[in-house]
Amino acid sequence: MAAHVIADAAEALAVAAALADGFRAGAAARDAERRLPRTELDRLSASGLLGVTAPAEYGGADVDAPTLAEIFRLLGSADGSLAQIPQSHFVYVNVIRRQGTEGQRKFFFAELLAGSRFGNAQSEAGTKHVQDIRTRLERQGDGTYLLTGVKHYSTGALFADWIPVLARTEDDNLHVAYVPRDAPGLTVVDDWDGMGQRTTASGTVRLDGVAVPADRVLPHHLTFQGPQLHGAVAQLLHAAIDVGIAGGALAEAAEFVRTKSRPWFESGVESAAEDPLLIQRFGELAVQVRASEALLREAARAVDTAGADLTDESAAEASVAVAAAKVQAAETAVTVAGALFEVSGTRSALDSLNLHRHWRDARTHTLHDPARWKIQHIGRYVLNGTRPPRHGLL
């Protein structure tokens, strides 16, 4: 695969904005028909946007966290499903940055800049909790590994060139095995039937004795043995998607009211856009969206600040800032996407218009991890100075 190599943050944002404009046009139809975005993802790969976090010494733009968050906000404003697909891609690029050997970095960053896509196979169904990982990575006599297990919610795996698989070795430590999509024994099943984010193809990955060379395995457990930003970056991108969904829903509601809604007869105005009660409600919703955007930017800056001088305290500050942004973004996305119908009127509920995709995407995406626990960690930090735990969900 050939891909453009993006030079810097300004180019990355321009490319993201252009892609978002193109993706927005077909988003409703893709969702309604559950037409998987293979063509759109090929455009994303070819654009070079998937390689923007590759380090400069390996030829990448190495964009900062505010730029990466804005890329996801732009994509989320256009298509809440499509924006979700590359989230794990960037998360597992970060694992390579932190835990990869020089040889692994050189190999995978070249793959990245050539347009390769990383999926994910991390979550499992039916276990005690989300961190109860039972997929096994068994070392063989020749130094290779055998990978066995079943993964669910594997967003991006169906479209990936490489599938990072979260698994435990015999000592129960977490590792990530980077497996080619066409590896023998690996099967990706398109069985995702969520009410929202319909076209993420977040289905099942089956691993039946998949052979993995030793140089494709990274010690992910080491990520959490010291101050880390792995979870903060992952959650920052989730927050950016929610903020994007909220902004996209508000923009579509405004366009609908300007062009299709009728004024309520008691308002005494000629168009719905002149109704003072609707104007008031749009103002309230816009304040929520702007607040979410501001918290997202603040959180991204906190991640970069911590990265420049990573300590337990700076990592905690970043995690708390991201948690606050994520809580606000999740609430705003669900609220604004639901209010779209309140302000637009009865016609907006027509299934043929598919305006409900914004709410379905928001409601589905915000279920990734509970906001109530983020609020707990924020409260403990503010009140008692208790640092958030080191895990990938905060």
Side-chain angles (χ1 to χ4, degrees):
M1 180 184 297
H4 173 68
V5 177
I6 289 175
D8 53 30
E11 184 183 5
L13 291 175
V15 169
L19 285 173
D21 285 343
F23 295 159
R24 184 175 291 107
R30 284 192 299 273
D31 175 89
E33 300 165 14
R34 198 180 177 271
R35 177 160 33 91
L36 300 182
R38 297 182 187 275
T39 299
E40 289 75 16
L41 287 172
D42 285 344
R43 287 179 57 198
L44 184 63
S45 290
S47 75
L49 209 59
L50 295 179
V52 295
T53 58
E57 60 265 35
Y58 296 93
D62 201 8
V63 302
D64 57 15
T67 299
L68 189 60
E70 179 63 5
I71 287 169
F72 273 82
R73 189 197 69 79
L74 288 166
L75 295 176
S77 73
D79 186 335
S81 281
L82 206 156
Q84 177 61 31
I85 294 171
Q87 189 270 345
S88 57
H89 168 95
F90 286 98
V91 168
Y92 284 103
V93 170
N94 276 349
V95 175
I96 297 167
R97 290 188 66 142
R98 184 167 177 115
Q99 300 302 339
T101 64
E102 175 59 27
Q104 288 169 329
R105 291 173 183 165
K106 185 175 181 180
F107 174 81
F108 279 116
F109 290 143
E111 287 283 298
L112 195 64
L113 293 173
S116 289
R117 296 193 288 266
F118 294 168
N120 94 84
Q122 56 184 17
S123 295
E124 300 178 12
T127 57
K128 186 176 181 179
H129 50 68
V130 70
Q131 292 198 324
D132 181 15
I133 302 297
R134 301 182 184 179
T135 298
R136 307 310 294 187
L137 193 61
E138 300 178 27
R139 194 172 183 87
Q140 306 301 293
D142 61 358
T144 64
Y145 292 86
L146 279 185
L147 191 55
T148 304
V150 179
K151 298 291 189 176
H152 298 269
Y153 314 118
S154 302
T155 303
L158 190 67
F159 315 109
D161 299 291
W162 293 88
I163 301 178
V165 181
L166 200 58
R168 295 192 185 275
T169 48
E170 62 275 3
D171 57 8
D172 218 34
N173 283 327
L174 275 178
H175 289 68
V176 179
Y178 289 73
V179 183
R181 168 68 175 81
D182 58 358
L186 186 153
T187 305
V188 182
V189 185
D190 179 19
D191 57 359
W192 169 243
D193 66 348
M195 69 171 182
Q197 294 196 305
R198 289 176 172 175
T199 61
T200 60
S202 302
T204 301
V205 171
R206 300 186 184 279
L207 304 145
D208 299 313
V210 178
V212 185
D215 62 358
R216 298 294 179 262
V217 177
L218 280 71
H220 192 34
H221 62 101
L222 298 180
T223 300
F224 306 103
Q225 290 185 3
Q228 52 83 35
L229 297 172
H230 178 84
V233 172
Q235 291 297 305
L236 180 72
L237 302 187
H238 281 308
I241 294 167
D242 289 338
V243 175
I245 292 172
L250 184 63
E252 190 147 9
E255 178 65 15
F256 192 93
V257 169
R258 284 193 297 265
T259 61
K260 296 182 177 65
S261 294
R262 296 183 297 178
W264 185 243
F265 71 95
E266 293 177 287
S267 68
V269 297
E270 292 298 316
S271 71
E274 298 173 295
D275 184 334
L277 299 182
L278 281 182
I279 290 171
Q280 175 72 20
R281 187 60 176 138
F282 268 98
E284 293 167 350
L285 297 173
V287 167
Q288 286 187 265
V289 172
R290 284 173 176 256
S292 297
E293 292 171 347
L295 281 174
L296 181 68
R297 290 190 295 268
E298 179 184 326
R301 288 193 295 268
V303 167
D304 273 358
T305 298
D309 182 19
L310 190 58
T311 64
D312 283 329
E313 189 57 35
S314 67
E317 287 282 352
S319 288
V320 168
V322 172
K326 182 66 169 64
V327 169
Q328 175 71 18
E331 180 178 349
T332 299
V334 173
T335 297
V336 174
L340 182 154
F341 304 99
E342 170 196 338
V343 296
S344 300
T346 305
R347 186 182 174 189
S348 64
L350 293 177
D351 195 54
S352 59
L353 296 175
N354 199 17
L355 294 176
H356 48 71
R357 74 184 185 282
H358 298 291
W359 184 87
R360 288 187 288 99
D361 284 348
R363 183 66 281 176
T364 301
H365 183 250
T366 54
L367 298 175
H368 268 82
D369 45 272
R372 58 186 177 273
W373 272 100
K374 297 185 186 304
I375 293 172
Q376 280 284 311
H377 291 306
I378 294 168
R380 291 170 183 173
Y381 184 71
V382 171
L383 185 60
N384 299 316
T386 304
R387 297 186 186 111
R390 294 171 180 164
H391 58 60
L393 300 175
L394 195 66

